[in-house]
């Protein structure tokens, strides 16, 4: 007799237990952590030293040349086996993995960037099941390609003489970078799940925003339902969209599911939608969407998505100065403020959702509205894009190709196609995802990095150019058009402007490396203005407490072996000292040099951020290189590996303030600009100008009334430079912009001289500390001017409401330091430095 089957919801088992690993060929099994990497497992069993410490990087390189095996067992019940289908889902395998289940070879993988969904009902057994994964060495796997290719790819960041990185679809930075340790990992780097279900599952739920205005949003719910029944099956599909205040709209459809893949479209209309707004413009409103598939009134499959309704456009239009490049969000032009993001760890599974959340708080707190996921890293975890959605941060997403040409043979193209399909589908629902970009600097490299001279055989260069077109002008744009048609795609960054060629700066985004590789002063940024700055930067050491995590006091010298192992940019130290000499007296002491270097990076990069903002609307965005670090290292980052803000992060926060007063000498005048990213104007404002000496005596003052227009940069006042001060070495200009209620909109200092030409007082900074559990309150004051005040505490990752600031003569300032590690009764030492301590 046929009895009606009782359908149930799907059941998901996360396979993170009971794992063991061993080097292939050695039967020495040890417990393993999944998700994880071989390196992490070896470290936790003390089989590898901490790779970040000293010169240990060299000692851990052998791991990349070995094969590794991971295995576990899990139990399956009769009931589970009686379900209609079972899937084994790998969200990420790094990289060449042979997957065996109960002796059956399920799959051989070859791409770290894709997830694999494998049907396993026929292979599962009642009781114990054995899952085993063999990871082939990513080096040995690709060496035959390197040996037979006939030429070496220009992958200069690959820190090996056999540069095989380009043959694998694997995070480029893990082979080394000019801020990166080389850790060529293997492992189950993202979760593994076993899923049992009946009748059907949702393969994909795409919420396409067909049209969004203030009045109405038209949303297409596109479901891909895979039906495992052998006969057509009646089902009911529902979608619901609700907002936190209780507003809700729903849609419903009766369907007949055919065996195999079914595409179902359910439109929804949301009236007067709460729009998702970027940071600084309001709330990044998110709706809860849910799709359900019901059979016989039982939910067999469902999926939730958090959706921000908004429009994002990239406007590239000819204008009288060239061609624009800017983002328009919900109809308003947005000046993009942000930084470039690299993977937050050399060992990716160490990055927790907590860490992403913290980073996004840092991004938001610095008044940023965009970050670029740079092409040398990874397509980040879902948690990353969720945090971007929740914080109103637009994401510029590169595909994962950087700084070298790549193969384009059929096997390689097939892998890239699979990867594009997987990640576009995974990420396209995110409100924050603003655009796709084919790669980082490959086009630039082909045109300007001398590869045509390196590859004298003309066929090689020609083949690389054709390969470029196949990958970045054909395959990837075709995939974006097919799967994510509403999003902007460009083939590479930069795609036209080149920092050595001023005539090219009138269109497109630019990576301007003039203040670094070009060895130019920071002032060059005032005039080298692109339409959109997508990279520029300057290095600094991390602060001493971070250096102390990888070096001992005997290594505390600029050119010590250990410090050099943590400085991957060959001429980095030379460039830091050279530029420092333009503005500061270069100190001899190592720790003073570290402090001064932090200050230098902060003011230098800030100089550019302000220049870019001043020049809007010609220039409509600035993303500095780089936000974060993947290990403790000397780099261009504004936040170090342990989450400590370098001076640059505070300076970025100031430069990116919603309203900013900024002065610059242009010709014979001091021009005072006011920039606002607010969507409303500030009417009836007053700009107070005070010339003061370092003791706080006001030498002259003036108030200028005016208004600050919305979302613009204006020249607010022009003051003859001559006569502002007779002693530039010990005076400054304080600029205070207040609204009509008397609230300060912006307060900034302009110095007439560089620090090296100032007579900075060695003023005493008095301070009081109020220790509490989880936070310390520090109140500081000084009788005279104290520049670049740095409060140091030996607690990694502690947060400061402000740091690296100038303390005005007579000013009292309260700084709150927060960290779970701070305790009321266990006082930690506080050290306070100022610029005049260094000479
Ligand atoms: O060197 C710092 C960063 C890199 O880490 C990263 O790859 O995309 N950087 C420098 C440049 N691009 C990037 C540009 N480099 C040059 C271009 C032309 C001549 C010399 C160097 C990032």
């Amino acid at each position: 007799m046929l009895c009606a089957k009782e359908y149930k919801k799907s059941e998901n088992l996360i396979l993170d237990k009971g794992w063991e690993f061993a080097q292939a060929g050695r039967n020495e099994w040890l417990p393993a952590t999944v998700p994880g990497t071989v390196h992490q497992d070896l470290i936790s069993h003390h089989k590898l030293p901490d790779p970040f410490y000293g010169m240990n990087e060299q000692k851990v390189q052998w791991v990349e040349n070995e094969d590794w095996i991971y295995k576990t067992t899990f139990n399956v019940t009769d009931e589970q086996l009686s379900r209609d289908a079972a899937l084994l889902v790998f969200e990420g395998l790094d990289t060449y993995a042979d997957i065996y289940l109960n002796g059956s070879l399920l799959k051989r993988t070859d791409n770290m960037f894709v997830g694999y969904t494998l049907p396993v009902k026929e292979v599962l057994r009642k009781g114990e099941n054995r899952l085993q994964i063999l990871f082939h060495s990513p080096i040995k796997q690709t060496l035959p390609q390197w040996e037979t290719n006939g030429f070496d790819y220009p992958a200069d960041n690959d820190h090996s003489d056999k540069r095989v990185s380009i043959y694998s679809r694997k995070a480029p930075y893990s082979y080394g970078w000019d801020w990166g340790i080389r850790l060529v990992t293997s492992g189950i780097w993202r979760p593994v799940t076993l899923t049992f279900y009946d009748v059907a599952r949702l393969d994909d739920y795409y919420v396409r925003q067909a049209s969004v205005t203030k009045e109405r949003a038209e949303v297409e719910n596109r479901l891909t339902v895979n039906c495992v029944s052998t006969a057509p099956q009646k089902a009911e599909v529902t979608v619901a969209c609700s907002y936190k205040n209780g507003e809700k709209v729903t849609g419903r459809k009766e369907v007949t599911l055919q065996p195999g893949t079914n595409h179902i479209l359910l439109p929804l209309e949301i009236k007067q939608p709460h729009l998702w707004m970027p940071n600084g413009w309001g709330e990044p409103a998110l709706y809860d969407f849910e799709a359900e598939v019901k059979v016989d009134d039982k939910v067999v499959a469902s999926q939730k998505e958090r959706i921000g309704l908004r429009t994002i456009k990239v406007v590239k239009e000819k204008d009288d100065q060239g061609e624009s490049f800017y983002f328009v969000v919900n109809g308003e032009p947005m000046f993009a403020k942000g930084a470039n993001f690299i993977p937050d760890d050399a060992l990716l599974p160490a990055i927790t959702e907590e860490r992403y959340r913290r980073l996004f708080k840092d991004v938001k707190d610095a008044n940023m509205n965009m970050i670029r996921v740079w092409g040398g890293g990874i397509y980040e975890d879902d948690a990353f894009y969720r945090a971007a959605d929740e914080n109103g941060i637009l994401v510029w997403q590169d595909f994962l190709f950087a700084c070298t040409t790549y193969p384009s043979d059929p096997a390689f193209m097939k892998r890239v196609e699979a990867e594009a399909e997987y990640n576009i589908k995974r990420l396209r629902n995110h409100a924050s995802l603003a655009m796709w970009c084919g790669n980082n600097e490959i086009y630039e490299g082909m045109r300007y990095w001398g590869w045509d001279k390196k590859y004298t055989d003309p066929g090689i260069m020609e083949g690389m150019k054709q390969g470029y077109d196949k990958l970045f002008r054909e395959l990837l744009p075709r995939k974006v058009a097919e799967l994510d048609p509403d999003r902007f795609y460009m083939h590479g960054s930069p795609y036209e402007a080149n920092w050595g060629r001023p005539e090219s700066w009138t269109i497109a985004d630019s990576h301007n490396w003039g203040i670094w590789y070009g060895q130019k002063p920071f002032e060059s940024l005032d005039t080298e203005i692109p339409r959109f700055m997508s990279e520029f930067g300057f290095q600094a050491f991390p602060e001493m407490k971070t250096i102390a995590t990888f070096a001992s006091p005997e290594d505390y010298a600029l050119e010590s072996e250990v410090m050099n192992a943590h400085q991957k940019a060959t001429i980095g130290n030379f460039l830091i000292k050279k530029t420092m000499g333009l503005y500061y007296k270069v100190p001899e002491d190592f720790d003073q040099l570290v402090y001064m270097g932090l200050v230098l990076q902060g003011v230098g990069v800030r100089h550019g951020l302000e220049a870019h903002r001043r020049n809007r609307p010609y220039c409509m965005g600035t993303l500095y290189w780089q936000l974060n670090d993947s290990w403790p290292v000397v780099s261009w980052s504004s936040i170090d590996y342990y989450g400590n803000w370098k001076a640059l992060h505070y300076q970025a926060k100031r430069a990116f303030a919603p309203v900013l007063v900024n002065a610059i000498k242009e010709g014979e005048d001091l021009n005072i600009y006011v920039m606002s990213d607010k969507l409303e104007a500030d009417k009836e404002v007053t700009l107070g100008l005070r010339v003061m000496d370092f003791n706080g005596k006001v030498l002259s003052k003036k108030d200028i009334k005016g208004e600050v227009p919305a979302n613009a940069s204006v020249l607010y006042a022009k003051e003859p430079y001559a006569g502002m001060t007779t002693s530039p070495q010990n005076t400054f200009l304080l600029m205070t912009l207040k609204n009509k209620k008397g609230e300060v909109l912006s307060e900034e200092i302009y110095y007439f001289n560089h620090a090296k030409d100032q007579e900075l007082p060695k003023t005493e900074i008095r301070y009081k500390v109020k220790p509490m559990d989880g936070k310390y309150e520090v109140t500081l004051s000084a009788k005279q001017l104290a520049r670049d005040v740095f409060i140091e505490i030996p607690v990694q990752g502690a947060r400061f409401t402000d740091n690296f600031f100038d303390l005005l003569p007579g000013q009292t300032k309260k700084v709150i330091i927060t960290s779970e590690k701070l305790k009321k009764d266990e006082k930690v030492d506080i050290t306070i430095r100022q610029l005049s301590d260094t000479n």
Side-chain angles (χ1 to χ4, degrees):
M1 195 182 85
L2 256 173
C3 58
K5 185 166 170 174
E6 175 83 359
Y7 295 124
K8 285 189 303 202
K9 269 200 133 141
S10 62
E11 181 184 357
N12 297 316
L13 307 175
I14 296 175
L15 300 187
D16 58 356
K17 306 253 161 32
W19 286 94
E20 293 182 291
F21 82 115
Q23 192 173 329
R26 298 191 179 196
N27 214 12
E28 296 160 20
W29 293 92
L30 288 167
T33 303
V34 169
T37 58
V38 171
H39 286 86
Q40 284 163 294
D41 283 326
L42 290 170
I43 293 164
S44 73
H45 290 289
H46 308 289
K47 302 277 178 196
L48 267 195
D50 171 6
F52 299 167
Y53 189 80
M55 294 190 292
N56 286 350
E57 180 180 3
Q58 295 164 12
K59 298 184 191 151
V60 304
Q61 292 307 312
W62 62 272
V63 177
E64 67 181 39
N65 295 312
E66 302 302 325
D67 299 346
W68 300 89
I69 307 172
Y70 278 71
K71 68 176 185 188
T72 190
T73 58
F74 56 90
N75 281 311
V76 171
T77 62
D78 263 340
E79 201 202 334
Q80 287 165 334
L81 280 181
S82 71
R83 305 289 298 257
D84 290 349
L87 295 175
L88 193 53
V89 181
F90 294 91
E91 289 178 44
L93 292 168
D94 176 14
T95 289
Y96 298 100
D98 301 346
I99 308 168
Y100 296 89
L101 181 60
N102 297 329
S104 152
L105 174 60
L106 290 182
K107 180 89 191 164
R108 310 188 80 156
T109 72
D110 55 17
N111 192 331
M112 161 185 188
F113 301 130
V114 301
Y116 297 88
T117 297
L118 310 172
V120 290
K121 185 172 156 76
E122 311 305 321
V123 190
L124 287 175
R125 299 171 184 157
K126 182 183 170 186
E128 191 179 84
N129 287 261
R130 292 164 171 273
L131 179 59
Q132 180 155 322
I133 305 174
L134 166 64
F135 289 96
H136 297 275
S137 150
I139 305 299
K140 285 198 303 195
Q141 186 74 22
T142 46
L143 216 47
Q145 287 182 270
W146 182 83
E147 280 160 350
T148 57
N149 187 58
F151 68 91
D152 206 9
Y153 278 89
D156 291 342
N157 289 294
D158 182 330
H159 292 168
S160 163
D161 24 322
K162 296 179 181 173
R163 297 188 297 206
V164 294
S165 53
I166 44 93
Y167 296 108
S168 288
R169 294 311 298 149
K170 180 164 167 54
Y173 85 108
S174 68
Y175 293 81
W177 212 265
D178 60 1
W179 37 258
I181 183 172
R182 179 182 173 99
L183 291 180
V184 185
T185 48
S186 285
I188 306 168
W189 75 291
R190 280 180 170 158
V192 189
T193 318
L194 180 62
T195 301
F196 299 97
Y197 64 97
D198 293 322
V199 190
R201 78 186 282 265
L202 258 169
D203 267 351
D204 187 60
Y205 176 26
Y206 172 28
V207 183
R208 180 176 178 200
Q209 304 187 23
S211 134
V212 177
T213 64
K214 282 195 184 95
E215 288 72 42
R216 150 167 89 229
E218 284 167 24
V219 176
E220 296 168 359
N221 293 272
R222 294 181 170 268
L223 285 71
T224 308
V225 179
N226 191 286
C227 176
V228 285
S229 299
T230 44
Q233 178 83 48
K234 279 205 177 337
E236 180 192 349
V237 180
T238 59
V239 286
C241 157
S242 51
Y243 194 63
K244 58 187 174 189
N245 62 6
E247 293 164 15
K248 189 167 183 174
V249 285
T250 55
R252 185 179 164 279
K253 204 172 197 171
E254 304 277 345
V255 296
T256 303
L257 298 175
Q258 301 299 327
T261 301
N262 297 260
H263 296 286
I264 298 158
L265 170 66
L266 264 163
L268 277 186
E269 186 182 302
I270 299 138
K271 300 217 169 75
Q272 267 96 43
H274 304 268
L275 296 182
W276 183 90
M277 289 301 233
N279 183 31
W281 279 6
E283 208 194 325
L286 293 174
Y287 284 81
D288 289 301
F289 277 64
E290 183 164 21
E292 286 185 338
V293 181
K294 286 184 196 162
V295 174
D296 294 348
D297 248 7
K298 292 269 164 33
V299 177
V300 294
S302 67
Q303 190 169 326
K304 291 182 179 166
E305 292 291 321
R306 297 202 78 201
I307 301 291
L309 301 172
R310 86 289 175 268
T311 58
I312 301 178
K313 300 248 168 327
V314 178
V315 179
K316 280 171 62 188
E317 272 171 5
K318 298 251 176 304
D319 56 24
D320 51 9
Q321 289 155 308
E323 190 179 287
S324 67
F325 187 101
Y326 65 96
F327 291 84
V328 176
V329 184
N330 297 327
E332 305 281 353
M334 186 191 88
F335 187 94
K337 300 183 288 191
N340 284 269
F341 185 87
I342 62 162
D344 202 43
D345 210 296
L347 297 167
L348 290 163
I351 309 171
T352 57
E353 175 142 13
E354 256 340 280
R355 255 168 83 171
Y356 277 135
R357 293 204 169 279
R358 224 184 113 113
L359 261 163
F360 272 94
K361 187 169 182 329
D362 293 339
V363 165
K364 184 178 181 181
D365 287 351
N367 297 310
M368 297 181 180
N369 55 24
M370 181 178 284
I371 51 176
R372 168 172 178 237
V373 178
W374 162 80
I378 57 165
Y379 306 94
E380 292 289 337
D381 287 2
D382 295 338
F384 174 96
Y385 302 93
R386 277 202 296 273
D389 289 346
E390 287 164 15
N391 288 288
I393 307 300
L394 277 74
V395 177
W396 163 322
Q397 179 70 49
D398 282 0
F399 285 96
L400 276 308
F401 302 88
C403 302
T404 167
T405 48
Y406 284 80
S408 56
D409 57 81
F412 191 85
M413 297 292 284
K414 223 172 121 191
R415 286 181 192 167
V416 175
E417 176 154 13
E419 156 190 341
E421 198 156 317
Y422 180 80
N423 288 291
I424 295 170
K425 284 185 174 172
R426 182 168 71 90
L427 303 182
R428 64 186 171 183
N429 280 348
H430 288 281
S432 54
L433 189 67
M435 60 171 279
W436 295 101
C437 170
N439 68 78
N440 177 71
E441 294 182 359
I442 302 179
Y443 197 61
E444 169 120 330
M446 287 196 310
R447 297 212 283 180
Y448 304 122
W449 291 359
W451 295 344
D452 45 346
K453 293 189 188 68
K454 182 171 172 177
Y455 303 106
T456 42
D457 173 351
I460 294 178
M461 203 58 221
E462 197 43 46
M464 286 185 181
K465 285 182 184 157
Q466 282 170 10
Y468 184 91
D469 288 347
K470 281 206 292 189
L471 278 166
F472 305 115
R473 302 218 229 217
E474 289 159 31
L475 175 64
L476 291 175
R478 175 162 58 75
K479 295 314 283 184
V480 172
E482 177 191 322
L483 300 168
D484 195 13
D486 309 317
R487 234 166 229 113
F488 174 77
Y489 171 88
M490 63 191 222
H491 66 82
S493 174
Y495 65 89
E496 186 54 47
N498 171 259
W499 62 274
R501 294 167 179 77
E503 68 284 1
S504 70
W505 301 343
T506 58
I507 75 170
D509 72 314
S510 162
H511 297 187
N512 188 331
W513 284 93
I515 61 164
W516 185 252
Y517 297 102
Q519 305 188 25
K520 293 185 185 180
F522 298 138
E523 290 77 11
S524 64
L525 293 164
D526 290 329
T527 48
E528 300 195 357
I529 304 293
R531 305 307 300 255
F532 191 104
M533 188 70 94
S534 40
E535 276 188 19
F536 79 108
F538 193 88
Q539 273 199 348
F541 287 77
E543 63 177 277
M544 286 307 294
K545 72 179 173 213
T546 292
I547 293 177
T549 67
F550 63 77
S552 328
E554 61 269 24
D555 307 316
Y556 292 174
L558 203 54
E559 302 291 344
S560 70
E561 278 189 307
V562 168
M563 288 311 299
N564 273 331
H566 291 75
Q567 165 59 290
K568 303 287 186 186
T570 31
I571 53 166
N573 293 340
F574 159 78
L575 289 174
I576 291 172
K577 280 178 95 166
K578 181 179 173 190
T579 305
M580 193 180 282
L582 300 177
Y583 306 101
Y584 300 94
K585 292 176 190 139
V586 181
E588 296 290 323
D589 275 10
F590 180 70
D591 67 338
Q592 289 193 358
L593 195 76
V594 168
Y595 159 71
M596 186 83 93
L598 287 161
V599 171
L600 177 75
Q601 180 200 31
V603 299
V605 175
R606 177 180 182 169
H607 199 94
L609 302 176
E610 289 175 333
H612 304 143
R613 263 187 100 176
R614 263 198 321 272
N615 282 282
R616 99 173 261 178
Y618 181 83
C619 173
M620 278 303 283
T622 182
L623 310 176
Y624 62 82
W625 184 266
Q626 74 206 55
L627 180 74
N628 56 331
D629 282 333
S630 60
W631 69 306
V633 67
V634 186
S635 84
W636 297 263
S637 73
S638 65
I639 303 177
D640 77 21
Y641 176 68
Y642 297 103
N644 304 302
W645 288 23
K646 291 176 166 178
L648 171 55
H649 209 76
Y650 297 96
Q651 294 288 27
K653 175 181 178 168
R654 292 171 199 141
F656 288 156
V659 176
L660 179 69
V661 181
N662 174 246
I664 177 178
K665 185 172 182 277
E666 289 173 320
E668 296 307 309
D669 292 316
L670 186 72
N671 287 337
I672 301 171
Y673 291 82
V674 175
M675 307 143 206
S676 171
D677 292 324
K678 289 165 46 174
L679 293 177
E680 318 82 47
D682 283 289
K683 301 241 158 73
E684 296 175 52
V685 299
T686 306
L687 175 67
L689 300 179
R690 309 271 176 281
V691 176
M692 297 167 86
D693 69 16
F694 291 171
N695 299 316
K697 190 170 157 204
V698 178
L699 304 172
S700 71
K701 59 189 210 176
K702 182 173 184 180
D703 286 331
I704 307 171
K705 292 202 181 306
E707 88 165 60
V708 181
N711 213 15
S713 157
V714 290
L715 176 58
Y716 186 98
K718 221 172 167 55
E719 297 289 305
Y721 195 84
M724 284 196 98
T725 182
T726 50
S727 52
Q729 74 284 5
N730 59 21
T731 58
F732 61 90
L733 172 69
L734 183 67
M735 305 173 287
T736 312
L737 185 74
K738 291 183 180 168
N739 66 13
K740 71 175 173 201
K741 289 191 221 151
E743 295 157 340
V744 175
L745 296 173
S746 174
E747 183 165 78
E748 295 297 337
I749 297 173
Y750 176 83
Y751 291 109
F752 298 104
N753 275 2
H754 293 320
K756 68 172 183 177
D757 301 318
Q758 282 183 324
E759 290 164 5
L760 287 174
K762 289 189 184 290
T763 186
E764 184 197 355
I765 300 176
R766 292 168 175 269
Y767 68 96
K768 277 197 300 237
V769 183
K770 194 171 149 196
M772 288 167 273
D773 285 336
K775 80 173 180 185
Y776 280 17
E777 223 174 77
V778 186
T779 311
L780 312 91
S781 65
K783 288 214 174 86
Q784 296 168 294
L785 175 77
R787 278 191 74 174
D788 301 297
V789 175
F790 176 30
I791 310 169
E792 266 176 290
I793 61 164
V795 176
Q796 289 293 4
R799 281 285 176 283
F800 296 72
T801 49
D802 204 359
N803 213 342
F804 290 98
F805 49 81
D806 292 350
L807 201 54
L808 293 171
Q811 185 193 2
T812 300
K813 184 170 174 105
K814 196 189 269 181
V815 172
I816 296 167
I817 311 174
T818 44
S819 165
E820 282 170 9
K821 294 173 216 149
L822 288 171
K823 296 278 174 286
K824 185 174 180 219
D825 300 322
E826 298 161 32
K827 292 206 183 106
V828 298
D829 291 340
I830 291 189
T831 319
I832 296 188
R833 291 173 196 259
Q834 58 177 313
L835 201 54
S836 62
D837 293 341
T838 56
N839 52 45

